[in-house]
């Protein structure tokens, strides 16, 4: 059997794009950590999420970015987009890796081309990035059901392999495509340090400092957090950082912010540079994240890496790690229960907060030092499916 060594990665966003949040950083880490005998090409957009102006890169040509060949195509121009696909084809990839299922330009259409032989029989490895989680499928469900039905009708699901970031995501994939679906489970890559940054010597006295860092869309649960804060009596500051991905949702959240009681002060800061994320968490007391589901949750790893405690939904691969750290893991979407958990954290003494931070950092250290196994591309070469 010939072992594939040339992988073409298709992704709607890649650095220097930032507005897509953690998935961009995860993908960069995956590309940067490929086996030494593997060549990786990236085909991506020359626009950041929702932006009309191009990124500060040369468009529609191959560029060497940190040792990886990247093609930033103008996907809004059909001619430029098709030319970019042709440039990838010239490289004769042996595997096409799709960093999304539902994206039409960077997943569905290229896969359709593959079905008619455009990629000369290249294997397909598809990472849906949590798109088949129950919470994700509940958003615009009819549109997604139609897309899956057409995908199956065209037979695009036959003979492909899936990359799941956790056993739970593997189950989500099989729930949609059947129990015999070939799924390779490998936790996502990160470029985080091996040892967590230690917490400050003492907590600065004052209100409880809650941090929320994520894209602003219904999946991430900012609205649930805001509803819970309307029920609290504690003095709290909430700092929200993230790209306004869904403007209607952001407007709804702003209305909730306007209704917060006087004991809660909330500030929307907008998007931030990836290199600033860990510094933001380091300044907070707790990261409250009522997400409706994460296939990995890079932002959780970032919080723990600076010893920031996390209060999170029980729909991520991090639940066991967070419980080990003494963090709160909630299985409810009831604002009242989240309010009670927040009130309990706000009632902790400075010493108890510091101990929570120490436990968060220690849990990160244990997680980061566990052998994650071979890179997903190496596993594909060995057909290590589960």
């Amino acid at each position: 059997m010939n072992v594939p060594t040339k992988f073409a990665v298709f992704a709607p966003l890649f650095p220097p794009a930032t507005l897509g949040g953690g998935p961009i950083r995860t993908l960069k880490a995956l590309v940067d950590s490929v086996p030494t005998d593997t060549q990786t090409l990236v085909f991506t957009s020359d626009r950041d999420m929702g932006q009309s102006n191009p990124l500060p890169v040369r468009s529609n040509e191959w560029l060497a970015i940190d040792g990886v060949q990247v093609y930033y195509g103008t996907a809004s121009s059909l001619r430029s987009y098709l030319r970019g696909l042709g440039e990838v084809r010239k490289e004769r990839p042996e595997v096409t890796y799709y960093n999304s299922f539902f994206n039409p330009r960077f997943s569905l259409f290229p896969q359709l081309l593959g079905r008619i032989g455009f990629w000369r029989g290249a294997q397909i490895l598809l990472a849906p990035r949590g798109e088949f989680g129950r919470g994700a499928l509940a958003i615009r469900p009819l549109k997604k059901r139609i897309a899956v039905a057409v995908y199956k009708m065209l037979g695009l699901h036959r003979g492909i392999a899936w990359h799941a970031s956790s056993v739970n995501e593997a189950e989500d994939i099989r729930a949609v495509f059947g129990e015999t679906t070939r799924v390779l489970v490998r936790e996502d890559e990160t470029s985080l340090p091996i040892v967590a940054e230690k917490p400050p010597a003492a907590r600065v006295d004052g209100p409880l400092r809650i941090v929320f860092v994520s894209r602003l869309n219904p999946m991430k649960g900012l609205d649930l957090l805001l509803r819970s804060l309307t029920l609290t009596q504690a003095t709290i500051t909430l700092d929200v950082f993230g790209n306004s991905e869904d403007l209607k949702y952001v407007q709804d959240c702003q209305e909730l912010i306007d209704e917060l009681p006087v004991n809660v002060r909330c500030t929307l800061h907008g998007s931030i540079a990836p290199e600033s994320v860990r510094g933001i968490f380091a300044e907070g007391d707790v990261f409250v994240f009522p997400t409706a589901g994460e296939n990995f949750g890079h932002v959780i790893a970032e919080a723990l890496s600076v010893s920031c405690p996390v209060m999170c939904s029980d729909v991520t691969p991090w639940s066991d790690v967070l419980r080990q750290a003494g963090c709160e893991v909630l299985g409810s979407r009831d604002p009242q229960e989240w309010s009670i958990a927040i009130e309990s954290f706000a009632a902790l003494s400075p010493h108890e907060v510091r101990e929570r931070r120490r436990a968060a950092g220690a849990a990160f250290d244990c997680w980061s030092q566990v052998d994650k196994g071979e890179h997903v591309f190496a596993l594909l070469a060995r057909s290590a499916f589960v």
Side-chain angles (χ1 to χ4, degrees), residues 73-89:
T74 306
S76 57
S77 164
L78 180 60
R79 181 177 179 181
S80 296
Y81 169 68
L82 294 176
R83 188 178 82 186
L85 292 174
E87 290 297 318
V88 177
R89 184 177 187 271

Side-chain angles (χ1 to χ4, degrees), residues 365-377:
D365 292 347
C366 290
W367 168 81
S368 67
Q369 292 166 28
V370 171
D371 183 5
K372 306 297 192 296
E374 293 181 284
H375 191 281
V376 65
F377 290 173

Side-chain angles (χ1 to χ4, degrees), residues 17-228:
T18 62
L19 299 180
I24 300 176
R25 302 192 286 282
T26 294
L27 181 62
K28 182 65 164 61
L30 178 140
V31 169
D32 287 345
S33 61
V34 297
T36 55
D37 58 349
T38 299
Q39 182 182 357
T40 306
L41 314 165
V42 178
F43 179 63
T44 188
S45 174
D46 67 351
R47 304 292 197 274
D48 210 338
M49 179 181 286
Q51 303 301 297
S52 57
N53 293 326
L55 294 163
V57 295
R58 296 198 305 275
S59 301
N60 304 308
E61 60 179 279
W62 288 110
L63 303 175
I65 308 292
D66 296 332
V68 176
Q69 291 296 112
V70 184
Y71 193 100
Y72 293 93
T74 306
S76 57
S77 164
L78 180 60
R79 181 177 179 181
S80 296
Y81 169 68
L82 294 176
R83 188 178 82 186
L85 292 174
E87 290 297 318
V88 177
R89 184 177 187 271
K90 288 179 184 178
E91 298 295 325
R92 303 184 72 94
E94 296 161 280
V95 177
T96 52
Y97 179 88
Y98 300 100
N99 200 52
S100 167
F101 174 81
F102 288 108
N103 189 281
R105 290 184 178 90
F106 292 94
S107 183
L108 293 175
F109 184 67
Q111 287 184 71
L112 185 59
L113 289 179
R115 178 58 64 184
I116 61 175
F118 186 79
W119 303 118
R120 301 184 177 96
Q123 297 181 62
I124 295 175
L125 181 57
L126 201 161
R129 302 300 179 197
E131 291 171 319
F132 296 126
R134 184 166 47 188
L137 289 175
I139 300 172
R140 295 186 288 276
L142 178 59
K143 181 178 179 181
K144 292 178 179 178
R145 283 199 299 269
I146 292 172
V148 170
V150 172
Y151 189 84
K152 291 180 176 178
M153 182 181 67
L154 295 175
L156 296 177
H157 63 300
R158 298 195 187 105
I160 76 171
W162 299 81
H163 173 198
S165 299
S166 66
V167 172
N168 287 343
E169 186 177 24
E171 293 173 355
D172 291 338
I173 293 168
R174 290 197 175 105
V176 176
F177 292 99
E179 288 301 316
T180 60
T181 301
R182 296 193 304 161
V183 183
L184 192 160
V185 178
R186 173 58 162 84
E187 187 176 275
D188 287 344
E189 307 285 348
T190 77
S191 57
L192 295 171
I194 299 298
V195 177
E197 182 178 305
K198 301 307 178 187
R203 180 184 183 276
V204 177
D205 203 12
L208 176 68
R209 298 167 299 180
I210 296 176
V211 178
F212 180 92
V213 180
S214 191
R215 290 172 290 138
L216 305 188
N217 66 36
M219 271 293 294
K220 304 303 181 179
L222 176 60
D223 61 311
L224 195 158
L225 171 56
L226 293 170
R227 294 179 198 281
S228 70

